[in-house]
Structures are given as C-alpha cells and as structure tokens.
Amino acid sequence: MDQEKLLYFKGLLELRLHTLLEEAGKACSDMRHENKGDFPDPTDRASLESDRNFLLRIKDRERKLILKVKEALDRIDNGTFGICESCGRGISEKRLMARPVTTLCIECKTEKEDQERVERQRGTRSKSSFPS
Ligand SMILES: [Zn+2]
C-alpha cells in the first residue's frame, strides 16, 4: 500500500479513535461527575495510556473497539496494515474502507465465520467474535 493511502487510513482511524474516546470520556464523566477535575482529557492518547483505569471504567464493548482501532494504528506504523493476518495476502481497499480495523481478508473472514457457525452448532462455546 502506498504512503498516501496509509495516511488516508491513518486519518480515518485517528478520527474514529478520537470519537470513541470522546464518547467513552463522556460516559465516564457522567458516571463520576462529582470528581470531574482529575479526569484525563479523553482525546489525549498519551494521558489515556498513562491512566489504565480509564480503560477499566469504560464499557467492555467500547474498550474492545478502542483497542482494535489502536491496533490498526500500530499496524500502520509497523507496516503490516492491510495485510491479512491469516493468509498474508493484501486485504482489499474496499473492505478496509468499510472496516479499517479488520485484520482478515474477506475470504478468511468468511471462512472463520463458517467455522464459528459450525462450532456453535456443535455446542462448543466459541470465543465471542466482534460484530462486523
Ligand atoms: Zn486472508
């Protein structure tokens, strides 16, 4: 993937992260509005990382999403963004546009979903997958 596209996805993910943190921050300060003063700026990634409690306070679903977005940003930094973690082939740009946090190409994703379905039918408890 060329630099320009990487930057595009980076911008997309950073915006997403910003929105998520803002929402999570709002939810948190609602929960503890009596103590607003010491709450870190939720849009500041550095202060978020220094306050692990922040991530413990927010809802599980949001926390997972935030982590996914951060992982995607890490992949942009280390050059593995857009590469399927299962088969190693490139993920289509169309798929990345719709779902920039994805780590699987559509073929592997479909395969994984089929496997999960089979496991569920067998009554095996599969890991809860993130909704697409
Ligand atoms: Zn794949």
Side-chain angles (χ1 to χ4, degrees), residues 7-26:
L7 283 175
Y8 170 81
F9 283 115
K10 192 171 181 175
L12 209 71
L13 286 160
E14 274 170 351
L15 190 73
R16 186 89 189 270
L17 185 65
H18 184 92
T19 311
L20 282 167
L21 292 179
E22 213 168 48
E23 280 168 9
K26 252 183 249 160

Side-chain angles (χ1 to χ4, degrees), residues 83-91 103-109:
I83 297 166
C84 174
E85 68 175 11
S86 176
C87 68
R89 283 179 298 197
I91 302 169
T103 55
L104 293 170
C105 70
I106 192 69
E107 286 85 0
C108 294
K109 175 73 182 168

